[in-house]
């Protein structure tokens, strides 16, 4: 039992588990920011790099994680979970995956805490880095920005997987045995990415039956705790460094076990500046000082923040209240952000139209009426990046400059028909029914006519020059 | 098609992974797998102090997007290591292209320990983990097939990463942490920023009959001692 573990070992183990949990959360959230992450190797230990890995700490994420833990540690029956979900700009949301850090009762009494457990936790973090790029949510998060954002939520306690839909899959990242239990890290991810299957997009006729339920109470009551996977430098709110921030000075010994405790992992408060107010190195200059702009997307449209209960509240001039009853300083920052949101939504409506051709996917049609039609469909799907998941994002089609009535949406109907024009008669399958022989027969006649009119053609060409 | 095998012979763990890729995907697929393995088999630089203690440097990581595959992998932030691996993969790819075979080959990443022997015997290289990646190069007819292949190979590589992580996290044998005098028998200490376990990369090209024709063995490690 615990009495076999020295108090120093127990303290060390608790520290390792705590910082492993914090680092794991950082890895997961940073992997869903939508950009490539890059950190530098350093041959000399800096003292703040837990597990000998350069994983930057986004202060807000650390704060959320610590808040969720509330002074406790992941343990048997107390799991720490990071839930990743997607939220469209229309306010619809869907859980994509849940990462679980759990502990079971299987103990490994003989394992050395300060050496083996530490190194294995480091290995587990590396595995987490690798696996976070492999689950389906990674690709979705890399494409977030205009039409949807990725949110995260950290909670502590029982694992909740019901929001992942039917048939969700699970991948185990790894396990590390410790004297007090076995730590397991796994991810359960959604496979059914059909969002709102009841809202089928009709190919013909006006858009009907799509309820813009901005003010309906969200069914996901826990959405109030969601946070966007975007980095906001909340200047000064977290001060970057916690008073009790601990630093890990990694020092190991190759001496026999009896002397192992002589080189103890030491903990000291760092000098100011050793912990970076870091942000993903790949991020470009933000258009707004309080939010990260996703590069390459719509020329700098700010991300939609996590205000799920007030998805388009900005349209009605309401400043959303902040979830979680956060501190005043947080509220101020979020207020600033929400002002930007108003502008965002106003512009968004027009922007939607521009993106409509690549985002709006009609349901799979029956066998195409002509080979050309079929190839047009496949080209469009490949141009949209070849994402099989694209189909599920049903966006509401609101053409610019049109009235906000559901019926009749003349402009909307026009746009839809324009996107899906009827086949040109000359390209229809009937043409190919004409035999080759007939074509060839008519050629000499046509050539004779063209030769007769050659002067006209020349004159026409001259006018073009 | 992709049957992954794991077995142990003489305390050397052996893992076999198989991938089918298009010609232009060979480089990235190999890099993705090799770097994923090396990420787990590299530590920070050791700094030995007195009294047999040592500290470990920090390993940075970076995401790499593939151009011809819908896939992103994580590698250790070491340009030196990346160059070595890229060179090996490029040689393998050239050999695949030049062999005139049906495009089948195998690249192996072997982790080993050196065991010093007394004169006149040369040092032994004792492998403790071998990863073999069997590659089958396919030819595709049109752009649509290529697009599908991009996605499919991306998914397959994802499965390979999961397989690799599964093996690594079994926490099977790893060489004991060495003393300062022994560190070069366990780790490759030639890089300035990271320290992978001693490794070597070799490859074989298979001809259309399925036999190993060219025994081109390229040794791409430092510190190979031979008397």
């Amino acid at each position: 039992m615990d009495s076999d573990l020295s108090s120093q070992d127990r303290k060390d183990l608790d520290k390792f588990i705590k910082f492993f949990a914090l680092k794991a959360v950082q890895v997961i959230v940073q992997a869903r920011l939508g950009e490539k992450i890059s950190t530098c190797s350093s041959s000399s230990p800096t003292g703040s790099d837990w597990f000998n890995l350069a994983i930057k700490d986004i202060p807000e994420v650390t704060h959320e994680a610590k808040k969720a833990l509330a002074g406790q540690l992941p343990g048997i029956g107390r799991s720490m979970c990071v839930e990743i979900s997607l939220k469209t700009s229309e306010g619809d949301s869907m859980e994509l995956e849940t990462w679980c850090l759990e502990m079971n009762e299987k103990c490994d009494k003989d394992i050395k805490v300060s050496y083996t457990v530490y190194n294995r936790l480091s290995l587990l973090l590396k595995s987490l880095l690798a696996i976070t790029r492999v689950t389906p949510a990674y690709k979705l998060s890399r494409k977030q920005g205009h039409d949807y954002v990725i949110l995260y939520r950290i909670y502590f306690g029982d694992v909740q997987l019901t929001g992942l839909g039917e048939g969700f899959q699970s991948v185990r990242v790894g396990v590390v045995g410790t004297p007090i239990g076995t730590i397991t890290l796994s991810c359960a991810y959604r496979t059914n990415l059909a969002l709102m299957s009841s809202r089928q997009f009709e190919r013909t006729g006006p858009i009907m039956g799509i309820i813009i339920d901005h003010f309906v109470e969200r069914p996901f009551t826990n959405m109030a705790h969601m946070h966007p996977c975007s980095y906001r430098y909340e200047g000064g709110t977290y001060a970057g460094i916690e008073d009790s921030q601990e630093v890990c000075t990694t020092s190991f010994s190759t001496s026999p076990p009896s002397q192992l405790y002589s080189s103890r992992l030491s903990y000291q408060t760092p000098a100011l500046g050793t912990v970076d107010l870091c942000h993903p190195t790949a991020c470009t200059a933000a258009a707004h000082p309080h939010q990260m702009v996703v590069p390459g997307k719509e020329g700098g449209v700010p991300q939609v923040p996590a205000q799920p209960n007030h998805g388009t509240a900005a349209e009605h001039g309401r400043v959303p209240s902040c979830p979680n009853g956060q501190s005043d300083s947080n509220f101020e920052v979020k207020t600033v952000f929400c002002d930007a949101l108003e502008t965002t939504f106003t512009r968004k409506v027009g922007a939607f139209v521009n993106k409509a051709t690549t985002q709006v996917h009609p349901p799979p049609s029956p066998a195409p009426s002509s080979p050309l039609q079929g190839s047009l469909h496949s080209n469009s799907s490949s141009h949209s990046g070849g994402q099989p998941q694209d189909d599920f994002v049903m966006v509401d089609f609101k053409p610019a400059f049109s009235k906000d009535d559901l019926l009749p949406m003349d402009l909307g109907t026009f746009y839809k028909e324009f996107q899906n024009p009827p086949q040109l008669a000359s390209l229809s399958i009937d043409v190919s029914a004409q035999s080759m022989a007939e074509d060839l027969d008519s050629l000499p006649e046509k050539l004779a006519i063209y030769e007769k009119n050659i002067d006209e053609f020349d004159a026409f060409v001259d006018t073009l020059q | 098609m992709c049957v992954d095998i794991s077995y142990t012979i003489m305390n050397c763990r052996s893992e076999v992974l198989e991938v089918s890729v298009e010609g232009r995907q060979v480089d990235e697929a190999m890099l993705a797998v090799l770097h994923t393995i090396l990420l787990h088999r590299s530590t920070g630089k050791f700094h030995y102090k007195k009294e047999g203690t040592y500290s470990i440097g920090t390993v940075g990581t970076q995401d790499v997007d593939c151009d011809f595959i819908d896939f992103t992998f994580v590698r250790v932030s070491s340009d030196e290591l990346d160059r070595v691996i890229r060179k090996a993969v490029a040689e393998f790819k050239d050999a695949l292209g030049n062999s005139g075979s049906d495009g089948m080959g195998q690249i192996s990443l072997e982790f080993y320990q050196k065991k010093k022997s007394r004169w006149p015997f040369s040092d032994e290289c004792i492998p403790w983990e071998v990863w073999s990646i069997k590659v089958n190069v396919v030819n595709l007819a049109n752009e649509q097939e290529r697009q599908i292949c991009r996605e499919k190979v991306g998914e397959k590589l994802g499965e390979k990463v999961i397989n690799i992580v599964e093996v690594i996290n079994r926490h099977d044998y790893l060489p004991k942490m060495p003393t300062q005098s022994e560190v070069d028998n366990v780790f490759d200490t030639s890089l300035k920023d990271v320290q992978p376990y001693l490794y070597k990369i070799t490859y074989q090209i298979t001809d259309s009959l399925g036999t190993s024709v060219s025994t081109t063995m390229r040794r791409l490690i430092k510190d190979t001692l031979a008397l």
Side-chain angles (χ1 to χ4, degrees), chain A residues 412-429:
Chain A
T413 317
F414 171 73
Y415 269 123
K416 277 196 304 149
E417 287 175 14
F418 173 73
Q419 285 168 42
N420 299 298
Q423 266 304 301
L424 288 175
S426 58
L427 293 174
S428 71
I429 201 163

Side-chain angles (χ1 to χ4, degrees), chain A residues 434 436-450:
Chain A
Q434 220 178 10
M436 183 74 94
E438 284 176 336
D439 280 339
L440 288 175
D441 287 341
S442 62
L443 268 179
E445 281 174 23
K446 289 182 186 167
L447 281 173
I449 296 168
Y450 298 147

Side-chain angles (χ1 to χ4, degrees), chain A residues 1-71:
Chain A
M1 296 302 155
D2 285 354
S3 57
D4 289 342
L5 202 61
S6 74
S7 64
Q8 187 56 56
D9 267 352
R10 183 60 201 252
K11 261 200 265 179
D12 286 347
L13 188 57
D14 286 347
K15 278 265 180 310
F16 295 169
I17 293 173
K18 173 186 167 186
F19 281 96
F20 177 79
L22 295 177
K23 286 295 181 181
V25 170
Q26 289 288 348
V27 168
I28 293 165
V29 173
Q30 288 176 27
R32 299 291 176 260
L33 285 170
E35 297 187 339
K36 294 201 294 187
I37 304 295
S38 176
T39 57
C40 297
S41 300
S42 162
S43 67
S44 309
T46 60
S48 61
D49 292 324
W50 275 92
F51 308 105
N52 310 118
L53 281 173
I55 298 169
K56 289 179 177 161
D57 288 320
I58 299 177
E60 177 190 284
V61 174
T62 303
H63 179 82
E64 291 301 324
K66 285 186 173 173
K67 207 165 66 172
L69 287 171

Side-chain angles (χ1 to χ4, degrees), chain A residues 152-193:
Chain A
Y152 74 93
R153 176 174 83 99
I154 306 170
Y155 64 90
F156 193 68
D158 292 329
V159 179
Q160 300 153 26
L161 299 179
T162 49
L164 294 173
E166 281 181 15
F168 66 85
Q169 302 255 4
S170 203
V171 59
R172 194 169 78 167
V173 182
V175 297
V176 173
T178 78
I180 61 171
T182 297
I183 295 167
T184 66
L185 185 56
S186 60
C187 173
Y189 57 93
R190 169 183 283 274
T191 52
N192 175 17
L193 293 174

Side-chain angles (χ1 to χ4, degrees), chain B residues 35-224:
Chain B
H35 269 304
T36 299
I37 298 167
L38 281 164
L39 167 69
H40 291 87
R41 292 290 181 242
S42 299
T43 74
K45 296 285 288 180
F46 281 17
H47 297 278
Y48 285 92
K49 299 178 260 197
K50 52 186 192 242
E51 293 160 12
T53 64
Y54 61 96
S55 60
I56 307 181
T58 301
V59 172
T61 59
Q62 56 192 83
D63 290 331
V64 181
D65 287 339
C66 296
D67 292 326
F68 299 111
I69 311 174
D70 276 350
F71 192 67
T72 300
F73 63 91
V74 180
R75 71 167 175 87
V76 157
S77 288
S78 168
D79 291 340
E80 276 181 277
L81 182 63
D82 188 40
R83 272 197 293 275
V84 171
I85 305 303
R86 281 181 183 273
K87 186 163 172 254
V89 167
E91 286 186 19
F92 172 62
K93 190 185 169 187
D94 286 343
L96 265 182
N98 296 338
S99 67
S101 73
D102 285 347
M104 282 179 66
Q106 175 175 299
I107 191 166
S108 296
L109 172 60
E110 177 188 299
F111 293 101
Y112 68 96
Q113 272 179 274
K114 271 197 287 203
K115 191 175 161 194
K116 296 260 188 236
S117 301
R118 292 176 193 270
W119 185 88
F121 302 105
S122 56
D123 291 342
E124 279 181 82
C125 293
I126 305 168
W128 53 271
E129 189 174 81
V130 179
W131 299 83
S132 300
I133 307 150
K134 291 193 167 156
V135 180
N136 178 34
V137 181
V138 297
N139 291 316
L140 299 176
N142 59 50
E143 198 53 41
Q144 194 173 2
E145 284 185 22
R146 283 200 189 95
Q147 181 59 35
I148 294 169
C149 192
R150 271 185 74 98
E151 295 163 19
K152 288 285 174 212
V153 171
E155 286 170 18
K156 283 294 171 195
L157 284 180
E159 288 172 23
K160 300 306 153 197
V161 167
I162 293 173
N163 292 347
I164 291 166
V165 160
E166 202 178 350
V167 169
I168 300 270
N169 276 275
R170 284 188 212 145
H171 299 303
D172 288 336
Y173 172 78
L174 276 180
K176 215 168 50 145
M177 283 300 138
T179 57
Q180 188 167 12
S181 56
E182 298 276 305
V183 69
D184 289 316
N185 294 338
V186 175
F187 287 102
D188 175 0
T189 55
S190 64
L191 304 173
K192 66 176 189 323
D193 43 16
V194 296
Q195 190 172 285
Y197 282 99
L198 277 176
Y199 69 94
K200 61 178 88 156
I201 298 178
T202 59
Y203 61 84
Q204 293 171 293
I205 307 298
T206 315
D207 75 350
S208 50
L209 296 174
T211 57
S212 179
V213 173
S214 57
T215 52
T216 311
M217 303 283 279
R218 300 309 217 113
R219 298 191 174 270
L220 285 169
I221 41 98
K222 289 77 179 172
D223 310 317
T224 305

Side-chain angles (χ1 to χ4, degrees), chain A residues 112-315:
Chain A
K112 292 186 182 52
V113 169
S114 64
Y115 169 71
T116 309
V117 172
Y118 189 84
N119 286 334
R120 287 186 181 178
L121 288 174
S122 175
L123 212 53
L124 189 53
L125 274 178
K126 289 175 180 172
S127 299
L128 183 63
L129 280 161
I131 298 280
T132 43
R133 276 67 176 166
V134 156
T135 53
Y138 181 72
K139 285 193 195 144
L140 286 171
S141 67
R142 287 294 297 270
K143 295 178 166 99
Q144 70 180 298
H146 185 70
D147 298 303
Y148 64 87
V149 287
I150 303 294
L151 309 177
Y152 74 93
R153 176 174 83 99
I154 306 170
Y155 64 90
F156 193 68
D158 292 329
V159 179
Q160 300 153 26
L161 299 179
T162 49
L164 294 173
E166 281 181 15
F168 66 85
Q169 302 255 4
S170 203
V171 59
R172 194 169 78 167
V173 182
V175 297
V176 173
T178 78
I180 61 171
T182 297
I183 295 167
T184 66
L185 185 56
S186 60
C187 173
Y189 57 93
R190 169 183 283 274
T191 52
N192 175 17
L193 293 174
L195 182 71
M196 302 171 295
S197 54
S198 57
R199 295 188 183 186
Q200 290 300 316
F201 192 78
E202 296 292 324
R203 289 195 70 183
T204 57
I207 303 166
M208 299 174 64
I210 296 178
I211 309 300
I212 303 166
D213 56 344
H214 298 306
F215 305 105
V216 171
E217 187 63 31
R218 297 283 163 204
F220 309 105
T221 52
N222 61 6
M223 293 300 289
H225 301 278
M226 304 301 300
H227 304 273
C229 287
S230 68
Y231 173 64
R232 298 197 297 266
Y233 169 52
E234 304 195 357
T237 303
Y238 300 114
I241 299 154
E242 310 255 337
D243 287 341
S244 59
Q245 178 84 19
E246 273 128 335
V247 162
C248 158
T249 313
T250 55
S251 187
F252 297 91
S253 172
T254 53
S255 317
S258 58
Q259 296 174 17
L260 203 61
Y261 302 129
S262 63
S263 54
R264 181 55 59 193
L265 293 166
S266 62
Y267 310 106
Q268 49 203 304
T269 53
L272 281 172
T274 52
V275 176
D276 297 328
L277 286 173
C278 291
H279 50 87
T281 54
C283 98
T284 58
H288 189 285
H290 290 278
Q291 63 216 41
M292 182 173 80
V293 171
V294 179
K297 310 265 193 318
E298 297 296 310
V301 173
Q303 292 211 24
V304 178
Q307 305 292 346
N309 288 327
H310 314 274
T312 51
E315 285 185 359

Side-chain angles (χ1 to χ4, degrees), chain A residues 367-380 421-429 431-432:
Chain A
S369 57
S370 79
L372 194 59
Q373 179 80 11
S375 66
L376 279 174
H377 275 305
S378 63
N379 280 345
S380 65
Q423 266 304 301
L424 288 175
S426 58
L427 293 174
S428 71
I429 201 163
V431 175
S432 62

